[in-house]
Amino acid sequence: MRNATDFRLSLAPYQQKAVDAMDETLRAVSALHEREPQRRERVSRELGVILLQAPTGSGKTLMLGRALEAVRGQLDAKTVWFWFAPYAGLVTQTRSALTAQCGALRLRDVYADREASAARDGDVFVQTWASVAVVKKESRKVRTDKEASLSVDSMIAELRERDFRIGVVIDEAHLNFGSGAAATADFFLNVLSPDFTVLATATPNDAKLEKFERDVGLKVASRVTVSRDAVVKAGLNKIGLMVGVLRFKEEDRALIDTEVATLTAGWSQHSFIKDKLAEKGISLTPLMLVQVEDQQEGKEDPVARVKERLIEIGVPEKAIAVHTSGEPDPAFHTLAYDPEIEVLVFKLAVATGFDAPRAWTLVSVRPSRGRDFGLQIVGRIMRVHPLVRRLHGTEPLLDRGYVFMSDPELQIGLDEAAADLKAVREGIAVLTDTLDVNVLGNDPRAAESYGATALPPPPVEAAPGETKADRVERQVSMGLLNPNYAIASSVRQLSAFSAVEGFSAPATPPLFPDLPDVLSPRVTPAQPAPHEHQVKYLLRTGLGIPAALVREELPNLFDIEGDLCPQIAREFCRMVPMTSMLLAVNSNAELSMRDLFNAGQTDQRNLSVRMSAARIAEQAQAQLMFNDGIDPRRIREAIEAELGRLCQRDGIGANSRDIRRTINLAILRQPQALKEAVRIAQGYHIRLEGNEPIPDQQFGAKDAARAKKGAYGAFVGRFNKPERAFAEMLDNDDTGRIKWWLRNPENERWATRLILPTGKRFFPDFVIGINGRKIKDSIALVEIKDDGDTGRLHSDSNAIKIRSEHSEYKKVFWSFREAEGVFLKAAWNQSYNRIFSNGPFEIEDMVLIQ
């Protein structure tokens, strides 16, 4: 079968329109050069720059080549073109495409053929900037005159002496000049000094374009824009782009290697496409692209890691090829056509520009992504292979590209790229059509030469009360703004208006006119004086406040470890049905896909994903290390012994490896269960102490607010805002339930406290005497948090605290305040493994023993 590129391709309507626009513009600029040779440099830089903006896969190389063919022999002077590709690998690809599709152009090699006398109109040199402009061995060769050949600098100078004009084509112009920008800009401006510059990009990024203009002192006067819709309609781009996101069971999220899972999803989709092509009788092997991050110094090689994982999920090793800047494949561009290769692993550095027409699926395991990722990488899988074009629009599976990422939050780059591409509408804004601003200086003769309007004298000041719309109208009437301003895009309107304002606006007033003198001596503000008088507030024992509070104490854990660890193991095995987890190897994941270009197009299916044994073991070990006083090895040994006993009792055949893996799995699937087991086991050993009396007095400000039910008769001590508001609510209680309240300060020896499973101590904020509470001294404990939506309430430490219970005073009541000031109850929800609000906080609830 002959390759489609063996034939001269007919241009699609949008391609022909773009070629015609570039042809017409180049002829117009050439005529200006002929009329005004003394202004050659200004015409070249301000009017001679064309931007072709078209999606990847739209045939940019073909359109550029056919445009150069169209003007061969038609311009006012013979022209030699220098075509710059961003990477060496793309030079070969470009030359091959021009040879096959633009036969009227003669391709020359800047390394071997620098003879100016042999030049013909339409000659094209294809190379990278690095080959001629960057200071290195290869570029030094072509920049040096030798006996047998001219340097490229001398060749260009001689071409000008022979009345040739110089044209430059910069492919992938969004990349600018790369790392050697200074040397490249110097070569571009001072050696090439082109009469015509044609830029091409798939990236509609005005910020980068503006940087390019600044770097080389150019103005893009003409734009030829091709919409993605036009390319899709012509059958050269796929109709849709599906983004796949994996969602796992909450309890399994930490157990799954998301990279392996994402590669599994991509390979599964690749296999579907492969089967569909076979079903349709198309002899084509699809390609899956895998993008990895750059290797960090001292870290593992991401390419080796991903290749190992691909083999692990069933990809044959011989079907995997690698191409990175550090490990380039010399036959890289043949990989796109090699049916033996089904997976290509690459890095971002080589992501741009390579042609992979049989690629449908892209898996990205690279951690940081953005808009450029979307624009450049997506293009790699949006081309339509020639063999599939006959089915275009009829087979949904083949009409879409598929992207899988290891983190759903990283879709934003794709979303932005899709929005950009959808927003691009086919439009040609070329020199012969319109100029943003009819200004080329204040010289009427020069302006007339370019068919433009000279600048009138600038107004002294804007008219009083004049709006922007009024100014626009006045500037159009004065000839400052082109009449086409009204129908231009908002971006072009802003650019034109800003340019005109720059000429006509009055001088800018000084910034910050009222700024004080920074050299004046600085005056240190007076510090507020501390309270000069502190008074004593006595403990109000008549309210029924006990002489001391009961606090929990735990013996030295080393002394009780022999009993404690087996007790923890028994409680843990009682709470978690581990024997049912012995055979668990895979987890079910939900794969959700949506089409970025076509709203409402979604797909969902379940995927079986292997859980990572290494990840399970590593994270389980971390979960065991939550209490510094208990040796995690002793806990693990005790749980292994207990689970082994249960397996033997139930006749389950499990080896030690199965048991260890099951324990790890249980610890990760139910992380709170282990802490709860420790809490219960510690409870057998906790002693209750009440030998530290509540202080009989407290010092506070003389003017402290009085508290009717406060233990010291005033609001003294440390309160944050929610705590103070809660204390005031207690003090104003009219139910008759509140007898007294006491602020329970942290880390005071007399304060009541709980021992947490972590070994740390927990001091609830308030101790309250409640009428009707059937417990020692009728005491209820309350913890107040800052909010119910974010921050501290949902911390890991609070998840442990809220599940803990005081041995004497029982469960601690938790509350937080809504924005409206209402206090709500906070409660632990076992199903969601999270703290939730549970209705308004009612004082009556504290009567109950929970």
Side-chain angles (χ1 to χ4, degrees), residues 310-377:
L310 284 167
I311 294 170
E312 179 185 326
I313 66 173
V315 181
E317 185 172 4
K318 67 177 183 179
I320 304 171
V322 171
H323 183 73
T324 68
S325 54
E327 188 182 345
D329 190 312
F332 172 54
H333 290 287
T334 67
L335 296 176
Y337 305 98
D338 184 353
E340 293 292 317
I341 301 301
E342 295 190 53
V343 178
L344 175 62
V345 182
F346 68 96
K347 291 183 184 176
L348 180 65
V350 292
T352 303
F354 69 78
D355 191 10
R358 62 188 181 95
W360 264 270
T361 307
L362 166 69
V363 177
S364 179
V365 298
R366 183 171 169 266
S368 59
R369 306 172 182 84
R371 181 172 170 271
D372 287 345
F373 162 80
L375 289 163
Q376 291 303 320
I377 305 304

Side-chain angles (χ1 to χ4, degrees), residues 534-540 694-702 704 706 710-719 741-745 748 750-751:
Q534 293 276 322
V535 297
K536 287 189 291 186
Y537 292 90
L538 301 178
L539 182 68
R540 301 165 70 195
I694 299 173
D696 58 5
Q697 61 185 26
Q698 241 189 57
F699 284 90
K702 181 171 61 176
R706 294 295 183 256
Y712 292 95
F715 289 95
V716 292
R718 296 188 300 273
F719 297 89
W741 62 265
L742 170 67
R743 181 74 172 84
N744 188 54
E748 291 287 353
W750 60 267

Side-chain angles (χ1 to χ4, degrees), residues 303-313:
V303 172
R305 181 194 73 230
V306 167
K307 188 172 180 180
E308 180 181 335
R309 290 176 174 181
L310 284 167
I311 294 170
E312 179 185 326
I313 66 173

Side-chain angles (χ1 to χ4, degrees), residues 162-228:
R162 292 173 177 271
D163 296 325
F164 276 85
R165 291 204 179 107
I166 303 298
V168 168
V169 176
I170 305 176
D171 198 5
E172 306 287 2
H174 61 279
L175 296 175
N176 299 318
F177 289 156
S179 57
T184 303
D186 178 71
F187 179 79
F188 177 88
L189 292 172
N190 300 319
V191 179
L192 286 169
S193 186
D195 302 280
F196 315 100
T197 302
V198 183
L199 312 174
T201 181
T203 307
N205 187 328
D206 281 337
K208 286 193 172 181
L209 178 62
E210 288 166 9
K211 181 180 185 305
F212 179 89
E213 291 177 300
R214 290 194 304 271
D215 285 349
V216 293
L218 300 179
K219 176 183 177 182
V220 175
S222 304
R223 289 195 187 209
V224 178
T225 305
V226 175
S227 72
R228 201 189 85 85

Side-chain angles (χ1 to χ4, degrees), residues 434-454:
T434 178
L435 287 174
D436 277 344
V437 184
N438 290 333
V439 174
L440 290 172
N442 289 318
D443 182 351
R445 289 176 301 173
E448 186 179 352
S449 299
Y450 296 114
T453 304

